[in-house]
Amino acid sequence: VAQEKINTDIVTLTRFLTEEQAKHPEATGDFTLLCHALQFSFKSIAYYIRRATLINLTGLAGSSNTTGDDQKKLDVIGNDLFVAAMRTSGKCRLLVSEEEEECIVFNENPTARYAVVCDPIDGSSNLDAGVSVGTIFGIFRLPEGAKGEKEEILLPGTELVSSGFTMYGASTQLVLTMKSGGVNGFTMDNALGEFILTHPNMQIPKSRAIYSVNEGNSLYWDEPVKEYFNTLKYPVGKSGKPYSARYIGSMVADAYRTLLYGGIFAYPSDKKSPKGKLRILYECAPMAMVFENAGGQAVNSRMERMLSVVPEHIHDRSGIFMGSQNEVQNVIEVHKKHR
Ligand code: P6P
């Protein structure tokens, strides 16, 4: 009987990181250890998300658990897990989290050279509805002699050494990119408790007739934005076929679909949110790095390269258009016409 061909050449995230480090002889291993701490935080957040409904974590704080302390909402638990993983890694100096008003400085890691930005559970408002949520993260290398002051993390996305996101959906997906390029997708094997490389070298299609935006904000959009989306919905000339609309309202889910299928995701700044809604440090910049490294592009509402934008403060916001190379280029062309 023919033996079922078992693929025994499995690339786990651990093996991927080891091979990545081997490409950099000067590497001390600190980045690898930091990524292992990140990996652990994704696994533990995924665990709580999966059990949320069962142990009623989706509700508001207030119900007390067996030990009597207030049960926390998932995004607080996600944040606590992430902060603990970064602190105990010994390799993180500064941490900016969507859940923390101030930048966390780990004085117990005075010689650590990495700064991490994260949204521990992005899209958490969708959790009760069972919509996929995720963790978005970025890693900066601090300059030599960094003092661990929060101004040191107000950097453009071009300074990111790595970024990515997880999506806690039907399975747990991780999308990871490095400064050296390349975007790789991993899927959690719950039996092994390992992230397995399932989408090596992800490349976004150059075009795709799918747009992803909250049309409920149309009233507030600037003229070029209105015109752009109208050309997709009411095409003139030879094209003729309107685009499909796909909007989940959870950035990691909309981003993952756009990365796989192509198209454009947008959260423009508008009259209601003049600075935009999404945060530069831990939503726009990490996603922009992933999309550029996958062969796409990402710009802000002034049509500037998203990765060149420097945040004014750690929770600074921006408009964003990201996705297939040609789709984002169309947005740029419409805006040029309006100048
Ligand atoms: P809106 C979720 O709250 C989030 O931060 C992103 O994940 C998502 O892309 C966006 O906001 C959705 O915003 O205004 O369309 O509900």
Side-chain angles (χ1 to χ4, degrees), residues 2-217:
Q3 288 294 323
E4 181 195 347
K5 183 90 181 73
I6 304 281
N7 169 18
T8 53
D9 183 26
I10 292 172
V11 180
T12 61
L13 177 58
T14 302
R15 173 178 158 190
F16 179 88
L17 291 169
T18 304
E19 291 170 352
E20 187 66 27
Q21 181 179 326
K23 295 176 193 167
H24 304 275
E26 76 288 355
T28 63
D30 284 359
F31 177 76
T32 301
L33 288 173
L34 179 64
C35 288
H36 287 323
L38 276 169
Q39 177 176 197
F40 178 72
S41 59
F42 302 148
K43 290 180 180 179
S44 40
I45 291 172
Y47 170 77
Y48 278 104
I49 294 245
R50 303 263 171 262
R51 290 179 51 76
T53 320
L54 295 175
I55 51 179
N56 186 28
L57 274 185
T58 53
L60 290 172
S63 55
S64 66
N65 57 19
T66 46
T67 55
D69 62 6
D70 279 346
Q71 257 182 331
K72 299 172 182 168
K73 281 178 63 177
L74 262 175
D75 37 19
V76 174
I77 283 197
N79 185 61
D80 291 352
L81 288 166
F82 202 93
V83 171
M86 292 302 100
R87 178 191 311 281
T88 55
S89 73
K91 302 303 174 190
C92 181
R93 186 87 175 82
L94 292 179
L95 171 62
V96 165
S97 167
E98 198 257 355
E99 292 290 330
E100 300 279 348
E101 193 50 43
E102 288 304 319
C103 175
I104 298 178
V105 181
F106 293 122
N107 289 312
E108 58 267 58
N109 306 333
T111 59
R113 293 168 302 146
Y114 289 100
V116 174
V117 292
C118 80
D119 187 351
I121 302 188
D122 182 80
S124 53
S125 54
N126 296 293
L127 258 176
D128 296 0
V131 169
S132 296
V133 297
T135 304
I136 309 173
F137 64 93
I139 304 174
F140 290 102
R141 175 80 175 269
L142 289 171
E144 290 303 321
K147 300 182 190 64
E149 283 150 13
K150 75 173 179 182
E151 290 67 30
E152 290 166 330
I153 205 165
L154 297 179
L155 301 166
T158 45
E159 293 300 306
L160 284 164
V161 294
S162 176
S163 81
F165 62 93
T166 54
M167 184 174 75
Y168 309 110
S171 55
T172 298
Q173 307 287 348
L174 165 66
V175 172
L176 178 64
T177 190
M178 306 287 187
K179 191 170 190 66
S180 52
V183 176
N184 289 284
F186 299 81
T187 304
M188 170 70 81
D189 177 326
N190 291 310
L192 291 175
E194 291 278 8
F195 279 107
I196 308 294
L197 180 63
T198 47
H199 300 71
N201 190 26
M202 298 177 84
Q203 292 290 306
I204 182 170
K206 287 295 174 213
S207 305
R208 184 68 190 270
I210 300 174
Y211 73 93
S212 184
V213 71
N214 183 345
E215 303 220 44
N217 293 326

Side-chain angles (χ1 to χ4, degrees), residues 208-215 243-249 253-255 257-258 261-262 264-266:
R208 184 68 190 270
I210 300 174
Y211 73 93
S212 184
V213 71
N214 183 345
E215 303 220 44
Y243 276 42
S244 287
R246 293 283 184 278
Y247 191 69
I248 301 167
D254 284 316
R257 184 206 54 251
T258 306
Y261 297 171
I264 185 161
F265 169 85

